[in-house]
Amino acid sequence: NPNTFMNTTYELIFLLHKEAMIQTLKDIITSFDGKVVKEEAWGEKTLAYPIRKKNTAFFFEWKITLPTESLNDFKKKLSFEDD
């Protein structure tokens, strides 16, 4: 079927200043027909140097699946959501 898209699993390691932003990221992933298949929270860590005047952040490692053709648009969306 030419309309069937191939899903690929990706590792996503990221940090957030607020844990409340997790749902926003999940919404972005599902908007690209993706799915979070594994979540691991590494907790709040002190940064080696401040990022946007913040000295700590919450670190996460997720495994996600996305249609291969959505990866570039997903990356662009993440860069726009960088807040």
Side-chain angles (χ1 to χ4, degrees):
N1 183 349
N3 293 326
T4 302
F5 297 113
M6 177 74 147
N7 277 350
T8 304
T9 301
Y10 299 97
E11 181 178 57
L12 182 63
I13 297 175
F14 59 97
L15 55 101
L16 299 172
H17 292 299
K18 299 176 194 161
E19 282 187 287
M21 297 169 69
I22 289 174
Q23 189 57 51
T24 301
L25 182 54
K26 287 181 180 179
D27 292 344
I28 293 169
I29 292 167
T30 57
S31 75
F32 285 96
D33 295 323
K35 184 168 85 170
V36 178
V37 293
K38 181 182 175 192
E39 297 180 42
E40 188 175 327
W42 294 347
E44 187 174 22
K45 307 281 184 194
T46 301
L47 302 173
Y49 54 89
I51 298 175
R52 294 190 175 173
K53 300 180 183 177
K54 307 274 189 201
N55 293 315
T56 62
F58 296 92
F59 284 69
F60 301 89
E61 177 186 7
W62 287 1
K63 297 263 194 279
I64 64 170
T65 59
L66 281 176
T68 306
E69 67 281 349
S70 297
L71 183 61
N72 286 335
D73 290 335
F74 174 70
K75 287 180 182 179
K76 287 177 191 172
K77 178 70 174 170
L78 286 183
S79 69
F80 286 119
E81 295 291 329
D82 186 19
D83 193 12

